[in-house]
Amino acid sequence: MEPHTHFIEQRASLPRNMIENTMFEEEPDVVDLAKDSTALEPDEVVYEPRSSRLLVRGLGENDLDDEEEDYESSARLLGMSFMNRSSTHNSSSSPYNRQAPPRLCSCPSARMLVVGVFILVLVASMAMALYFLPGCTFTKAGCGKANSSIPMEPSYPNSTNGELFPWNELRLPASVRPVNYDLSLTPNLTSMTFTGRTVINMTILHDTKRIVLHSSELIITKATFQSVEVKVLEYKPWQQIAVSFLEDLKVGQVCVLTLDYAANLSHTYDGFYNSSYNDKTGAKRVLAATQFEPQAARKAFPCFDEPAFKATFLVRITREPGYITLSNMPQAKTTTLPSGLLEDEFEQTAVNMSTYLVAFIVANFTSITRNVSNTLVSVYSVPEKKEHTHYALDTASTLLHFYNTFFHIDYPLRKLDLVAIPDFLAGAMENWGLITFRETSLLVGNQSSPLDKQLIANVVAHELAHQWFGNLVTMRWWNDLWLNEGFATYWQYTSLMTEFPQLDLDNVFLGVRFKAMAKDSLNSSHPVSVSSQVTTPEQVSEMFDSVTYEKGASLLLMLKTTLPDGQFRKGIIKYLDNYRGSNTVTEDLWNSLTQVLPQQESVSDMMRTWTLQNGFPLVTVSRKGGHVTLTQEPFLLSADNATHTSNLWHIPVTYVNDNCSSAPSSTLNVSDSVKWLKLNYMNTGFYIVHYGDEGWATLIDALKTDINTLTPHDRASLIHNIFALSRLGRVSFRQVLNLLDYTTNETETAPLTEALSQLSSSHHLGHTDCAFTFQDWGEEESVSRQELRSVLLEMACIKLDIYSIVILWCSVVSSRIPGDLQQVVFSTAAQADLRWLSLMEAYSSTTYDSEKRKILQALASTQDPRSIVWILSTGLEGGIIQTQELPLVISTVSDGFAGHLLVWDFVKENWDRIIEKFPVGSYPIQSIIKSTTSQFSTQTHLEEVQGFFSSLKERGSQMRSVQESLETIRLNQLWMDRNLPTLRIWL
């Protein structure tokens, strides 16, 4: 079924005679921002197009009539015009009104003289105080600007030795540019320490008396500048060091700074850290690896640790003979030192890199290799798991060829290593030429299920996409992180849907878009491209969230489906070609896309409304006969309705109906015979649609009459939208249940998993019985069917108490459980004490990483309080359960009825230990906060959560994820008040 598409384009003005009888006419009030002297930060500006034009694309491509009319939409009308009313201030209505002084004179009394003298003294004192205060220009934000007529003396902090540190900002000065790093490192895997020497060749861009760079937890033992020893100052709170000079370093000067240092290998998961594992004999093996994103390269070597400070790198690593070393580039030579140690030297990087992409590893790994398009692709693992690397090599080889071809730019390095590290916090890290992974994200056995392979393919595709988006072209600063992560997320799905269609990634991508909306509907969300106020390490870490990843990818999908065929790809190639080796901001992307459009119409006009403000629109459909009116407003879940916004979006609207014969016009007109209308075809747009009572009724009737009336993705979209509208209070929960009645005939994965996800989020499980009856235990070829079967059986086990699964498992222990059923079987078995102990033994002995993780989730799903306390404590300690798995353990325990209160108490009591292992603001911390608080729905818990995090201060009180958790609890309260009575009747 061909969808109709409405493209909403901005225009400076509209022609006359556009729409009749749909709204009132009046001249809009306009504020000329160009005349406002107050500069606004990007996320302070609400970009709202003054007017727009509706185009309809259906089976053909048709422009509207040229005769259109200027009008105002009361900040709500979609598809016709999006004007924002801004109040103007008449200059004559200034609150500062002068009155003519009285002209009569009289002799003052003594009392008046005293008062007068007192006032004069007071005024004089105030004037003197103001004179001696630093100058200030008062703005809307208060005393925010220094008065240019009276220069303000900058205030500098004290360094560790008591001297003034010569810099007072978190961001580094732009006066010095590194050109090349020569790094030499000697790790000692016995003492868990390392020494290093960093030689930085740099260029002076502006006259300066200081060089400021980053260093964290490094002890600088010696420093020389141009071979002359110099003193290094350190300011630890900002992780900065500096060298000051009496005379200016001059523009264009090329100079060399050499720093010798020593440090401990990190015991957390960032910087240059140590790790260990047990080999097949049970012996403990140690290794050292790096994780530098977002701001941890400074923990391994002194550097200019910001994305825009790109340079080349030459790395040398000293090791014991029993180890190998890896870095971004191929190994150039190995030298035997007098001590008997070996020094491996790697080729200098062939490309300029940001510091967070540098990587090195010292370990006892083995590999398999393949040559792909003049690039040697290798997958490394511990020797015992070498046979689990083949699928990753096959996948990486296929995807490397795909990206080389699709982007018209070949991968620029001679080698590409994918390394499975036994103890690794992130899922993976895209270091250029040396991508590091968790073992569970890279290794998969021959007998693993297609669902397990789907996970591996997803992670590999994401990290390989980064070699272009993030490595070749890098965001200038972390506020535009979506240019890295949004693109990598988008291309991971696009590439796999093209090269591995059997993995059914289209359903996964749909679920990802729903997930992004859940976070973005909260007040605590943030724009995809935020202001430059992202400065502290915590603020940078918090950018790694579903808005940056999933919403960013969703907006790219929407843009791709909006642009004419092939233009999106041309624009992306243009973007990569224009900025290869450089850093970019979001506007550079829009400019590149605009350059390839036939009319060079501005992509920025549309997309700025999506990237520079948080949230997304709710589109409401109202219909009178064949006349359809569309209006928009922000979709914002707010328990107290405290936030009112006038945000508007430039929305590309797509739709289908039951005859698809609508003719384009200046309004959305359909034939009177059309029974139903469904907007947002295939859910490619990032918005929610409300059809009104009558519109929902017609869609529900259509689905009950013929379930194939709509595509599975459109059916899932309706389920997602009506649940969202229920939380917003726009539809009753009875209407939600009316729609769900059709699912007794539903067999497709996308709609059923969305319905079950929505119901289970409130622990309300229903409509699984009919679907459950046709599930079996045999091998299932379709990945999406495997996913559906796993979800349905898990729900059924919880709802129907089907412990016969445990009996079935016991009876077939000699045969292998299908991979997609392992989780549900293990989780059900874990509810029995004896089986829980058996699973614990299996967890310790299994060599299959995907199976090991499923067993761990099963162990954490127990309802036994003693087992819950043990698994939480063991995960925090590390050892039997690696600490990297603690967020997963906490999340799984939180899902259980018995565990969600225990785990909240555990987090409160162990908060300081937790943030020692996971940085404040990092994704694991975000996950822990969300999972432990998202089920709360009472005022008591709200006050408890608020009180706990408020007490943390710099240890986590200001995190965005805390505000999100408080908002979620308030919304849970509101939802329960609205819907619990109806739900009880239905159940």
Side-chain angles (χ1 to χ4, degrees), residues 878-942:
I880 298 174
I881 299 173
Q882 292 174 315
T883 302
Q884 68 177 14
E885 301 291 4
L886 181 61
L888 174 67
V889 170
I890 288 176
S891 176
T892 306
V893 172
S894 297
D895 286 339
F897 178 78
H900 79 282
L901 294 178
L902 286 173
V903 75
W904 168 239
D905 289 338
F906 171 83
V907 168
K908 287 188 298 179
E909 293 169 7
N910 295 280
W911 181 258
D912 288 339
R913 293 183 63 192
I914 290 172
I915 62 175
E916 284 178 5
K917 299 176 182 294
F918 311 112
V920 171
S922 65
Y923 189 81
I925 292 294
Q926 295 177 46
S927 171
I928 288 171
I929 293 172
K930 180 179 179 179
S931 60
T932 53
T933 62
S934 61
Q935 294 188 48
F936 293 154
S937 59
T938 67
Q939 185 65 27
T940 299
H941 278 129
L942 175 64

Side-chain angles (χ1 to χ4, degrees), residues 590-744:
W590 306 147
N591 291 339
S592 296
L593 286 160
T594 297
Q595 290 171 22
V596 304
L597 294 180
Q599 307 300 323
Q600 292 213 347
E601 298 183 12
S602 175
V603 173
S604 178
D605 289 349
M606 168 185 165
M607 293 307 297
R608 281 159 62 126
T609 67
W610 294 93
T611 58
L612 293 176
Q613 60 185 1
N614 61 300
F616 55 89
L618 167 63
V619 177
T620 300
V621 182
S622 58
R623 179 180 174 185
K624 292 183 179 179
H627 183 82
V628 179
T629 301
L630 309 176
T631 59
Q632 70 156 301
E633 63 187 287
F635 184 96
L636 180 64
L637 295 176
S638 178
D640 54 9
N641 294 318
T643 301
H644 301 278
T645 66
S646 58
N647 295 359
L648 294 171
W649 290 263
H650 216 161
I651 309 172
V653 177
T654 57
Y655 72 94
V656 290
N657 57 49
D658 53 327
N659 66 22
C660 292
S661 59
S662 301
S665 66
S666 57
T667 59
L668 179 52
N669 291 317
V670 296
S671 168
D672 287 339
S673 63
V674 169
K675 296 178 182 177
W676 56 264
L677 184 71
K678 163 62 172 72
L679 268 63
N680 199 5
Y681 177 70
M682 295 291 287
N683 206 82
T684 57
F686 200 73
Y687 57 93
I688 283 175
V689 184
H690 183 23
Y691 299 93
D693 292 345
E694 185 177 343
W696 279 111
T698 57
L699 285 166
I700 292 170
D701 287 343
L703 287 176
K704 289 180 178 179
T705 302
D706 181 5
I707 197 172
N708 294 314
T709 292
L710 294 172
T711 67
H713 279 203
D714 283 308
R715 302 199 295 270
S717 174
L718 289 179
I719 292 170
H720 171 267
N721 283 198
I722 202 167
F723 268 99
L725 291 167
S726 171
R727 288 194 295 274
L728 193 64
R730 295 299 177 89
V731 302
S732 69
F733 202 68
R734 172 55 58 189
Q735 288 174 282
V736 175
L737 301 179
N738 287 342
L739 175 62
L740 291 184
D741 283 341
Y742 103 87
T743 60
T744 56

Side-chain angles (χ1 to χ4, degrees), residues 370-377 400 411 413-416:
R370 182 180 303 165
N371 196 290
V372 180
S373 304
N374 298 319
T375 298
L376 185 65
V377 181
L400 181 62
Y411 173 78
L413 305 184
R414 293 196 298 112
K415 66 101 170 172
L416 175 62

Side-chain angles (χ1 to χ4, degrees), residues 966-984:
L966 296 174
E967 197 172 351
T968 300
I969 296 171
R970 294 187 185 100
L971 290 168
N972 290 346
Q973 289 179 273
L974 185 61
W975 192 95
M976 295 290 284
D977 292 342
R978 284 175 177 168
N979 301 306
L980 189 57
T982 301
L983 193 63
R984 282 174 173 163

